[in-house]
Amino acid sequence: MAAGGTRPPGAGSAPWAAAGGAELRVMAASRLPPGALTLKQFLRRQQVLQLYRRILRAIRDVPAEADRCYLKDWAREEFRRNKDATDEDAIRMMITQGNMQLQELQRTLKLAKS
């Protein structure tokens, strides 16, 4: 309150004033678009995209054209098939499996070159 017991203009007239700002926090959060990602979802999405790019880059090193096409189609289909996954544990597991498959591909390519 301002000195003298009077309120500054607009103070107390907002619905959140009596709740100590709790309503303000809810209102601020609702300003996000309905499809906005949380920070955790955004970071997980970045991990998935990074894995996808790394897989595609590794596939470029496959010597046979037919095998490259097959692997590229396989990778695309796997990521498309799981694009609507929302369970955090399932997504982490898929990322782990994808990283293991990428490592296996990289080991195989390294052996093929030697």
Side-chain angles (χ1 to χ4, degrees):
M1 284 206 178
T6 60
R7 294 185 199 189
S13 61
W16 50 268
E23 291 284 324
L24 176 61
R25 286 189 292 274
V26 172
M27 289 173 47
S30 67
R31 289 186 185 150
L32 293 173
L37 299 175
T38 65
L39 178 61
K40 184 183 270 188
Q41 291 169 329
F42 177 80
L43 294 174
R44 190 69 66 204
R45 182 176 187 272
Q46 295 307 308
Q47 284 182 314
V48 171
L49 291 173
Q50 182 181 38
L51 174 61
Y52 183 65
R53 288 183 198 110
R54 289 173 51 211
I55 289 171
L56 290 180
R57 284 186 192 117
I59 290 172
R60 288 183 203 161
D61 295 336
V62 173
E65 176 70 27
D67 292 338
R68 261 196 319 272
C69 288
Y70 170 78
L71 288 171
K72 198 181 296 185
D73 290 342
W74 168 81
R76 282 186 188 134
E77 182 55 34
E78 284 296 309
F79 278 84
R80 278 189 189 135
R81 188 167 55 89
N82 294 303
K83 75 176 186 173
D84 295 323
T86 56
D87 181 43
E88 187 69 27
D89 291 333
I91 294 170
R92 275 198 317 263
M93 182 189 69
M94 287 185 272
I95 291 172
T96 301
Q97 288 177 342
N99 280 316
M100 290 186 328
Q101 291 172 340
L102 173 61
Q103 289 172 356
E104 182 64 30
L105 175 61
Q106 289 170 333
R107 277 194 298 267
T108 303
L109 291 170
K110 190 174 180 179
L111 285 173
K113 287 181 181 179
S114 59

